[in-house]
Amino acid sequence: MRLAELSERSGVSTATIKYYLREGLLPPGRRVNATTAEYDEEHLRRLRLVRALIQVGGIPVAKAREVLSHVDDESLGRTIRLGAALWALPQDPEPDEEDPDVVAARAEVDRLLESLGWETSREMASLSPVHRSLVVAVATLRRLGYPWDAELMEPYARQMHQVASRQLDFMETYDTLKEQVEVAVASAVLFEPVLSALHRLAQEEESARRYGIE
Amino acid sequence: MRLAELSERSGVSTATIKYYLREGLLPPGRRVNATTAEYDEEHLRRLRLVRALIQVGGIPVAKAREVLSHVDDESLGRTIRLGAALWALPQDPEPDEEDPDVVAARAEVDRLLESLGWETSREMASLSPVHRSLVVAVATLRRLGYPWDAELMEPYARQMHQVASRQLDFMETYDTLKEQVEVAVASAVLFEPVLSALHRLAQEEESARRYGIE
């Protein structure tokens, strides 16, 4: 397809597509002649992913380029390729390890992972920015007087494991590994708001069931 | 306790506490003499909630005052009191009802609620900003080429219902209705980051289990 069709099918203006091409976020089209290039379904898919990262995720262009370079890196194993892209997304800053709430939160998170048997997560703890986010979130709860311990977190973690498992099942319905990695990265950005809205809606529903509405 | 102790126990500076008192976010202490007031456990709890709303939730002072006025409104029933406080939190803007993705997303959300039997949520659909958030999130997925329908959402919604149900159980371990409403509002702000971090950590763990690490 030509640039105009790519623009129409993606809902992204031709000016923006040209900008993404210049910034290397989108691979160049196949040259037909001096002024025209052909684009294909892969360009359309990539364009949607770029939109998800930049427009919905609010990720800067340079960061998006880094995420996409991991998505495209055929030399990585599947878990690392997926992880490397997710880890390149914006993350919490390093917590203050002198802070007693951070120390206590780190211990609780470790107890949680042990009791869940999440051995990989324990091994990767010092590397993973996702692990760090959990420590920061639990430390904040503690600081504000809600001392969430491993036992309180465990049932939620199991529930989230089921959610994650379903998402990987969904990811696996895509044919190629490249598409699977793309959909995983897009859903890291796009899926969180759906989950969060479903969660709040369920709170309303359950509250109405238990206490009625009057 | 005196102002200095309230400051120490909450980790909030005396200057900030005085500011919250002036802004009506914290009820005045009991006057002991012309220059001294006494504060109690309820002040400490309220101060933590104010911190959660303003510091973690990034909610402006005027909005926080509105949320707290609902928390304190004894005339409201439990569901409404809880709902009114949650609804006063910052919400998505109204979606564009002419947008075909919004129209399709609204129809899918309605199909979802019907198949879940969430009757209250259906009845409150036009009022609830939470319902609106879900429509907006699903419309964004569709726009970017991930057409999530009711069938795909349903298992996640059931999982989130279990999470919400556990949270209400936890809320009910607090003695007074006022404390229960407070903990519900705080957890709307503080709990989301924990759930989101658990979700991403579970993705890493499950991915490593399925595909190994190499």
Side-chain angles (χ1 to χ4, degrees):
Chain A
M1 72 190 97
R2 300 295 156 88
L3 187 64
E5 190 185 341
L6 183 64
S7 166
E8 201 185 304
R9 285 186 59 194
S10 63
V12 179
S13 73
T14 55
T16 302
I17 295 175
K18 284 179 181 167
Y19 170 68
Y20 291 159
L21 284 163
R22 275 198 308 277
E23 290 290 329
L25 293 169
L26 210 58
R30 191 174 54 79
R31 280 267 152 238
V32 178
N33 59 46
T35 55
T36 320
E38 269 286 312
Y39 300 90
D40 56 23
E41 293 301 319
E42 202 171 320
H43 285 95
L44 183 60
R45 251 179 34 228
R46 175 55 54 103
L47 191 50
R48 284 172 170 158
L49 180 58
V50 170
R51 270 330 236 185
L53 292 173
I54 292 181
Q55 205 182 25
V56 184
I59 293 166
V61 166
K63 200 77 189 164
R65 201 187 295 119
E66 188 189 335
V67 171
L68 294 171
S69 75
H70 297 307
V71 170
D72 290 334
D73 189 344
E74 309 276 353
S75 75
L76 300 172
R78 176 145 42 169
T79 299
I80 299 295
R81 195 164 159 193
L82 188 54
L86 287 175
W87 290 8
L89 295 175
Q91 304 291 349
D92 285 317
E94 293 282 349
D96 173 7
E97 296 296 339
E98 309 272 287
D99 179 337
D101 287 314
V102 171
V103 174
R106 194 173 285 287
E108 287 300 340
V109 168
D110 195 55
R111 278 219 301 141
L112 171 72
L113 298 181
E114 192 179 356
S115 89
L116 289 166
W118 291 11
E119 288 310 318
T120 315
S121 302
R122 288 186 81 194
E123 281 164 34
M124 298 199 294
S126 61
L127 291 171
S128 165
V130 177
H131 183 277
R132 187 201 302 156
S133 299
L134 182 56
V135 171
V136 169
V138 173
T140 304
L141 275 176
R142 295 187 69 87
R143 187 168 308 121
L144 293 166
Y146 305 95
W148 262 56
D149 62 19
E151 215 174 312
L152 280 165
M153 274 185 281
E154 196 179 315
Y156 296 97
R158 292 198 189 281
Q159 220 89 50
M160 287 303 111
H161 190 192
Q162 287 193 35
V163 167
S165 197
R166 265 183 221 288
Q167 282 182 288
L168 286 187
D169 291 344
F170 175 68
M171 189 187 88
E172 288 177 2
T173 63
Y174 285 80
D175 287 336
T176 69
L177 180 53
K178 188 174 186 123
E179 281 175 283
Q180 292 182 4
V181 176
E182 282 184 357
V183 79
V185 172
S187 73
V189 173
L190 298 174
F191 190 77
E192 220 103 289
V194 176
L195 215 57
S196 152
L198 283 173
H199 174 221
R200 290 193 179 192
L201 202 60
Q203 281 180 315
E204 279 185 12
E205 180 67 29
E206 181 62 19
S207 173
R209 285 188 197 179
R210 291 195 191 191
Y211 317 124
I213 317 174
E214 82 261 19
Chain B
M1 71 189 97
R2 298 296 155 85
L3 186 64
E5 191 186 340
L6 183 64
S7 166
E8 202 185 303
R9 286 184 61 192
S10 62
V12 179
S13 72
T14 55
T16 303
I17 296 176
K18 283 179 181 166
Y19 169 68
Y20 290 160
L21 284 163
R22 275 199 308 276
E23 290 289 330
L25 294 169
L26 210 58
R30 191 174 53 78
R31 279 268 153 235
V32 178
N33 59 46
T35 56
T36 321
E38 269 285 312
Y39 300 90
D40 58 22
E41 294 300 319
E42 202 172 320
H43 286 95
L44 183 59
R45 250 179 33 229
R46 174 54 55 104
L47 191 51
R48 284 173 169 157
L49 179 59
V50 170
R51 271 328 237 185
L53 293 173
I54 292 180
Q55 207 184 22
V56 184
I59 294 166
V61 167
K63 200 77 188 168
R65 201 187 293 117
E66 186 188 335
V67 171
L68 294 171
S69 75
H70 296 309
V71 169
D72 291 334
D73 189 344
E74 308 276 352
S75 74
L76 301 172
R78 177 146 38 171
T79 299
I80 298 296
R81 196 165 158 191
L82 188 55
L86 287 176
W87 290 9
L89 294 175
Q91 305 289 350
D92 284 317
E94 294 282 350
D96 173 7
E97 297 295 339
E98 309 272 288
D99 178 339
D101 288 314
V102 170
V103 173
R106 193 174 286 288
E108 286 301 339
V109 168
D110 196 56
R111 277 220 302 142
L112 172 71
L113 297 181
E114 190 177 357
S115 89
L116 289 165
W118 291 10
E119 286 311 319
T120 315
S121 302
R122 290 186 81 194
E123 281 163 35
M124 298 199 295
S126 61
L127 291 171
S128 166
V130 178
H131 183 278
R132 189 199 304 155
S133 300
L134 183 57
V135 170
V136 169
V138 173
T140 305
L141 275 176
R142 294 185 71 86
R143 187 168 310 121
L144 293 167
Y146 305 96
W148 264 58
D149 62 18
E151 215 175 311
L152 280 165
M153 275 186 279
E154 195 180 317
Y156 296 97
R158 291 198 190 278
Q159 219 88 50
M160 289 302 113
H161 190 191
Q162 287 192 35
V163 168
S165 196
R166 266 183 220 289
Q167 283 184 286
L168 287 186
D169 292 343
F170 176 68
M171 188 188 90
E172 288 177 2
T173 64
Y174 285 80
D175 287 337
T176 68
L177 179 53
K178 188 175 187 124
E179 280 174 284
Q180 292 182 5
V181 175
E182 282 183 358
V183 80
V185 172
S187 72
V189 173
L190 296 175
F191 190 78
E192 220 103 288
V194 175
L195 215 56
S196 151
L198 283 174
H199 174 223
R200 290 192 178 194
L201 202 60
Q203 280 180 315
E204 280 186 11
E205 180 67 30
E206 182 62 20
S207 173
R209 286 190 197 179
R210 291 194 189 191
Y211 317 123
I213 317 174
E214 81 263 20

